[in-house]
Amino acid sequence: MSTPKQKISALIITYNEMGYIQKCIDSISFADEIIVVDSFSNAGTYEYLQKHKQVKVIQRAFQNFTDQKSFALRQATNDWVLFVDADEVVTDQLRTEILVTINSEKTASAYWFYRKFMYQKKPLHFSGWQTDKNHRLFKKSKAQFTNKKIVHETLQIEGESACLKAKLTHYCFKDYQDYKAKMLHYGHLRAQEEFVRGKKFNYIKLLIKPAWKFLYNFIIRFGFLDFKRGINVCYLNALSVY
């Protein structure tokens, strides 16, 4: 007797993602349902999603990434969940690997995805991102977002995790000002995390930690091989720490 085809829910959270969300939606059209939680976009994103026949869009005020993604996860009706960012694209190779994986006889509870970072239209090979990976495919019944983090949200997995071979394409760097705003936003949220944990402000760390972040990514993680793009990315990542 053959095993029934496994269904999958694709989830995204958005805020003003026109120009990227279209490619993302197209790349996950193989999912049995696509649910987008939008943080009251004001630049056409919500209107686009409303008109898309395959998408269920819900507007909800943004508090932090963990809260928003936890809400989105609760909306999924299937156990298998694919969680992507609005500026990420599932390649044909990755789509095939996802479908083969979830329909295999033996599966892990969750799967890591490595990502190929794009600086505008060119790949970013180094600058600290070359070994970046995230849980993107998992069983809803075996995972939940930990409430200890409000940025760089983390899944708690019950059971084993494995890693897929194909990479997820991430259009992380649209332009300088967009990436700068994103890094500052992450920095503010991380500061809130540290404050709640009782961390105290320290002038020495204010000087040392951003400098170390830049030097680590630019030199030890070979950011200099990305040339001017590496300088920009390493600087803005250090600015987030600052």
Side-chain angles (χ1 to χ4, degrees):
M1 184 176 178
S2 61
T3 304
K5 176 182 175 292
Q6 296 294 309
K7 291 188 175 183
I8 185 169
S9 298
L11 307 178
I12 312 171
I13 64 172
T14 59
Y15 179 70
N16 289 350
E17 294 289 350
M18 286 303 290
Y20 287 87
I21 188 67
Q22 298 96 319
K23 289 183 180 180
C24 179
I25 295 293
D26 289 344
S27 76
I28 58 174
S29 59
F30 62 90
D32 297 280
E33 68 173 358
I34 300 174
I35 299 172
V36 181
V37 179
D38 180 71
S39 304
F40 292 95
S41 293
N42 55 24
T45 303
Y46 179 66
E47 290 74 15
Y48 165 76
L49 293 169
Q50 271 190 313
K51 295 176 182 177
H52 202 294
K53 295 179 180 179
Q54 200 177 351
V55 173
K56 175 184 177 182
V57 58
I58 304 167
Q59 283 197 308
R60 182 176 186 263
F62 182 89
Q63 294 185 35
N64 60 64
F65 288 100
T66 296
D67 173 75
Q68 199 77 332
K69 287 196 171 183
S70 295
F71 173 82
L73 183 56
R74 293 194 295 270
Q75 312 312 307
T77 60
N78 300 308
D79 194 31
W80 276 111
V81 168
L82 172 65
F83 222 128
V84 295
D85 291 343
D87 56 359
E88 293 175 336
V89 170
V90 175
T91 63
D92 292 342
Q93 184 180 1
L94 180 55
R95 177 193 64 206
T96 299
E97 191 174 3
I98 290 169
L99 293 175
V100 169
T101 298
I102 66 172
N103 287 291
S104 300
E105 290 186 9
K106 186 178 180 181
T107 61
S109 297
Y111 291 87
W112 301 96
F113 285 11
Y114 282 102
R115 295 190 288 178
K116 179 172 73 173
F117 286 82
M118 301 297 290
Y119 185 108
Q120 294 174 330
K121 295 182 180 181
K122 296 181 180 179
L124 193 69
H125 298 293
F126 301 101
S127 304
W129 295 123
Q130 56 266 47
T131 55
D132 174 86
K133 63 179 181 180
N134 298 94
H135 278 121
R136 289 293 196 225
L137 178 68
F138 53 89
K139 292 180 179 178
K140 181 181 177 181
S141 58
K142 301 289 185 179
Q144 63 179 354
F145 288 100
T146 175
N147 57 12
K148 294 180 181 179
K149 288 190 175 184
I150 61 176
V151 65
H152 301 310
E153 56 287 346
T154 303
L155 277 171
Q156 291 178 323
I157 305 297
E158 179 186 336
E160 295 183 358
S161 292
C163 191
L164 298 190
K165 295 178 181 179
K167 290 185 177 182
L168 182 69
T169 303
H170 184 198
Y171 291 88
C172 62
F173 201 107
K174 302 178 182 69
D175 56 58
Y176 187 89
Q177 291 303 325
D178 175 82
Y179 195 82
K180 180 180 179 180
K182 185 187 296 184
M183 290 300 100
L184 290 174
H185 183 50
Y186 288 164
H188 293 156
L189 291 174
R190 182 64 188 274
Q192 291 178 32
E193 283 183 6
E194 298 295 319
F195 181 77
V196 170
R197 292 174 185 169
K199 291 288 183 71
K200 302 296 183 180
F201 173 76
N202 185 301
Y203 278 105
I204 295 176
K205 288 184 178 180
L206 178 66
L207 297 174
I208 292 176
K209 292 188 75 173
W212 169 246
K213 180 74 170 181
F214 177 84
L215 292 172
Y216 177 75
N217 285 328
F218 190 69
I219 298 175
I220 298 176
R221 302 286 283 165
F222 303 114
F224 63 90
L225 294 178
D226 285 319
F227 304 105
K228 183 180 178 181
R229 295 177 297 146
I231 294 174
N232 286 340
V233 170
C234 292
Y235 166 73
L236 291 175
N237 286 343
L239 181 63
S240 178
V241 175
Y242 176 83

